[in-house]
């Protein structure tokens, strides 16, 4: 997730704003099909005495424990036998559905409409506002808005490229594969999570260099120069943003690994 850094710059000019509203509308239009469930209802293995059970569309769990969901995240300890097609996290024991080229583009668009995408843009804008760093939109309220808008557009470009069309080109799976509790020490789990920044599963299940994700960070930060103020349109700014994006990606994967555990403790009354 890219961040901004550098020295104090000039005030924002209204005409330099990119058409954020148009881009957001496009992402929303692309993501709309994701909101509908794409999974066919599971059929029972044998006729059931209870007619209601035979028509249930819920997925079987991998164990008898309850499958709790908090903020859209499975916090277990029972998980569905098959993950949803656009689930960002694949939990231990879940079967991941294969993604077609169209599925990957819709997956990336689905990511872009999630509320959590506001967090990196807000953090990046806040740090840039305090330090006066790149992109140098100024330090007034308009400057914060410029940084926030640039952060949202940069993040959307990163996801649509790294998890979308580049994942199609390199035949890679953009989802995060979680180890979960009982699968090694905290250190083992942390290393497994962080290395998915560098290594990513191919469509055949083998791990390869994460070409799609890494190039996605590069594409987003290079294209960002087109809507940054002229004082920030330098290769060094793009290079610094790329490094921050890779580091942020590793941090986000640690959150995806341990976040469900934290949520389960916080909402243990639902267990």
């Amino acid at each position: 997730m890219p961040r901004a850094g550098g020295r104090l710059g000039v005030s924002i000019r209204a005409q330099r704003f990119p058409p954020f509203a148009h881009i957001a509308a496009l992402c929303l239009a692309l993501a709309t099909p994701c909101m509908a469930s794409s999974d066919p209802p599971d059929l029972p293995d044998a006729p059931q005495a209870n007619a209601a059970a035979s028509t249930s569309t819920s997925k079987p769990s991998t164990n008898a424990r309850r499958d709790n969901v908090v903020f859209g995240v499975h916090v277990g300890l029972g998980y569905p036998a098959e993950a949803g097609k656009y689930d960002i996290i694949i939990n231990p024991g879940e079967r991941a559905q294969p993604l077609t080229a169209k599925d990957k583009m819709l997956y990336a668009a689905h990511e872009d409409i999630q509320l959590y995408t506001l967090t990196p843009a807000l953090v990046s804008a806040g740090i840039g506002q305090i330090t006066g760093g790149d992109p140098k939109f100024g330090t007034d309220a308009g400057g914060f808005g410029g940084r926030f808008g640039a952060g949202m557009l940069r993040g959307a470009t990163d996801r649509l490229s790294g998890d979308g069309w580049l994942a199609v080109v390199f035949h890679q799976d953009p989802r995060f594969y979680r180890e979960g509790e009982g699968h090694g020490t905290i250190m083992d789990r942390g290393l497994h999570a962080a290395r998915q920044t560098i290594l990513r599963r191919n469509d055949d299940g083998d791990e390869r260099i994460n070409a799609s994700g890494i190039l996605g960070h590069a594409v987003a930060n290079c294209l960002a120069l087109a809507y940054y103020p002229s004082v920030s349109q330098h290769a060094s700014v793009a290079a610094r943003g790329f490094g921050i994006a890779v580091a942020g990606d590793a941090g986000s994967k640690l959150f995806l690994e341990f976040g469900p555990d934290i949520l389960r403790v916080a909402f243990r009354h639902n267990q």
Side-chain angles (χ1 to χ4, degrees), residues 58-135:
S58 61
K59 295 178 180 178
S61 296
T62 57
N63 56 53
R65 295 183 178 182
R66 181 178 176 182
D67 173 28
N68 290 317
V69 178
V70 179
F71 302 135
V73 176
H74 293 287
V75 297
L77 293 169
Y79 303 110
E82 182 175 79
K85 183 166 286 188
Y86 304 113
D87 283 355
I88 294 170
I89 300 174
I90 304 298
N91 286 294
E94 283 187 309
R95 182 171 62 253
Q97 300 184 51
L99 298 180
T100 65
K102 178 182 177 181
D103 290 336
K104 290 175 184 178
M105 294 303 300
L106 291 174
Y107 171 90
H110 179 263
E111 281 187 296
D112 275 338
I113 64 170
Q114 303 306 306
L115 287 178
Y116 66 76
T117 61
L118 297 174
T119 303
L122 286 171
V123 171
S124 176
I127 293 175
Q129 191 77 357
I130 294 171
T131 63
D134 294 300

Side-chain angles (χ1 to χ4, degrees), residues 34-51:
C34 302
M35 307 306 293
S37 173
S38 59
D39 300 324
D42 292 332
L43 297 176
D45 294 330
Q48 304 295 315
N50 188 340

Side-chain angles (χ1 to χ4, degrees), residues 148-238:
F148 176 71
M152 288 295 292
L153 181 55
R154 189 176 58 234
T157 304
D158 198 329
R159 288 180 287 271
L160 287 173
S161 55
D163 293 345
W165 65 270
L166 283 171
V168 173
V169 171
F170 289 98
H171 303 284
Q172 293 191 307
D173 187 342
R175 296 167 292 191
F176 175 77
Y177 285 80
R178 182 171 176 262
E179 288 283 89
E181 278 189 282
H183 293 79
T185 65
I186 291 178
M187 180 66 71
D188 292 336
R189 292 174 60 190
L191 290 173
H192 177 268
R195 78 172 187 170
Q196 292 188 55
T197 305
I198 306 300
L199 299 176
R200 180 173 266 184
R201 295 193 185 197
N202 279 8
D203 290 339
D204 58 9
D206 294 333
E207 280 191 332
R208 296 288 186 271
I209 293 295
N210 184 11
S212 55
I214 293 172
L215 286 176
H217 298 321
V219 167
N221 282 279
C222 288
L223 291 180
L225 298 182
Y227 50 84
Y228 281 179
S230 58
V231 69
S232 297
Q233 293 177 351
H234 301 290
S236 60
V237 174

